[in-house]
Amino acid sequence: RKEVEQDPGPFNVPEGATVAFNCTYSNSASQSFFWYRQDCRKEPKLLMSVYSSGNEDGRFTAQLNRASQYISLLIRDSKLSDSATYLCVVKPGTGTASKLTFGTGTRLQVTL
Amino acid sequence: ETGVTQSPTHLIKTRGQQVTLRCSSQSGHNTVSWYQQALGQGPQFIFQYYREEENGRGNFPPRFSGLQFPNYSSELNVNALELDDSALYLCASSLGTVQETQYFGPGTRLLVL
């Protein structure tokens, strides 16, 4: 079983739509959780951290369910510029090297 | 931009050759992590360097090795290249080993023929 699992997509949605991505992780000792965005042939960039209480940044909302080891990302009012691959990322507990474990990514294509 | 630079941007090698990739970390950052991203996959952790010492390693064979210099820049060396080594190699810098935010460089795209 992969440490971080995501639906690879692609998700094709029209502009203005709401889209949700899900991710599960296998290591129950994981402490930190993130969503990164990666544009085609570019490096990953941090989109947002994910907290147990849930957090929002503009049109983006991230949720974490530790009991189910499940992370989600909701994008509201999709823009063409949101087209990218969204990577679910998990970091183990403190005291270890800050190794980031990435999912394979979910590709989003927003169309007119 | 993140301030993390990598060189070269692209590289073509043949099987059995050796390659050295370079990374300059963001100013003030003392930790560099290297990742391999194969086509259609997420980045995979290779190893991390903190203050010139290896500080954690992923599931990669010994022919993947690295260095970190006193100015915190880093090199990734791969010996006896195999076709499956073709990938995007990313370095990420951070301040310390616990800080959560890692800033990625643009990557080096390696093709092994």
Side-chain angles (χ1 to χ4, degrees):
Chain A
R1 183 186 170 190
K2 288 184 179 177
E3 291 184 71
V4 179
E5 298 214 47
Q6 293 181 252
D7 180 343
F11 283 51
N12 295 298
V13 302
E15 231 183 346
T18 295
V19 61
F21 304 138
N22 303 316
C23 164
T24 56
Y25 60 95
S26 61
N27 184 353
S28 59
S30 298
Q31 293 290 324
S32 304
F33 309 90
F34 312 91
W35 285 100
Y36 274 72
R37 170 194 168 127
Q38 186 171 28
D39 293 295
C40 188
R41 304 183 75 80
K42 298 283 192 180
E43 72 273 21
K45 293 184 179 175
L46 178 65
L47 179 66
M48 58 197 302
S49 301
V50 188
Y51 303 114
S52 297
S53 54
N55 48 300
E56 189 174 306
D57 182 2
R59 298 181 293 109
F60 299 84
T61 301
Q63 297 276 356
L64 167 65
N65 184 323
R66 285 187 184 270
S68 303
Q69 295 178 208
Y70 171 94
I71 306 162
S72 65
L73 176 68
L74 185 76
I75 304 176
R76 291 181 300 279
D77 188 23
S78 299
K79 311 290 185 193
L80 293 175
S81 57
D82 294 334
S83 298
T85 295
Y86 290 83
L87 296 158
C88 177
V89 184
V90 171
K91 189 171 95 70
T94 57
T96 63
S98 52
K99 160 193 169 182
L100 299 179
T101 301
F102 287 79
T104 55
T106 300
R107 194 156 65 88
L108 171 66
Q109 182 66 52
V110 181
T111 56
L112 287 171
Chain B
E1 298 302 329
T2 63
V4 180
T5 61
Q6 291 186 244
S7 63
T9 56
H10 296 81
L11 203 50
I12 299 175
K13 291 284 189 179
T14 56
R15 268 187 308 175
Q17 284 189 310
Q18 178 265 342
V19 69
T20 298
L21 310 182
R22 295 177 177 84
C23 171
S24 290
S25 57
Q26 189 178 109
S27 177
H29 284 183
N30 54 18
T31 304
V32 173
S33 304
W34 285 93
Y35 294 82
Q36 179 196 65
Q37 187 174 22
L39 198 61
Q41 302 296 316
Q44 299 292 311
F45 177 74
I46 304 175
F47 43 55
Q48 182 183 81
Y49 278 83
Y50 171 63
R51 292 186 173 180
E52 303 178 57
E53 299 281 336
E54 187 179 290
N55 180 53
R57 188 179 183 93
N59 189 25
F60 281 81
R63 60 189 184 85
F64 285 77
S65 63
L67 281 174
Q68 188 177 34
F69 300 99
N71 66 356
Y72 303 132
S73 65
S74 178
E75 285 183 356
L76 164 65
N77 299 290
V78 188
N79 293 323
L81 283 166
E82 300 177 0
L83 297 180
D84 285 349
D85 295 333
S86 296
L88 178 67
Y89 288 85
L90 295 158
C91 80
S93 79
S94 57
L95 180 59
T97 59
V98 178
Q99 190 205 38
E100 297 179 348
T101 303
Q102 294 189 12
Y103 297 89
F104 283 85
T108 294
R109 199 164 293 277
L110 173 65
L111 177 61
V112 182
L113 301 175

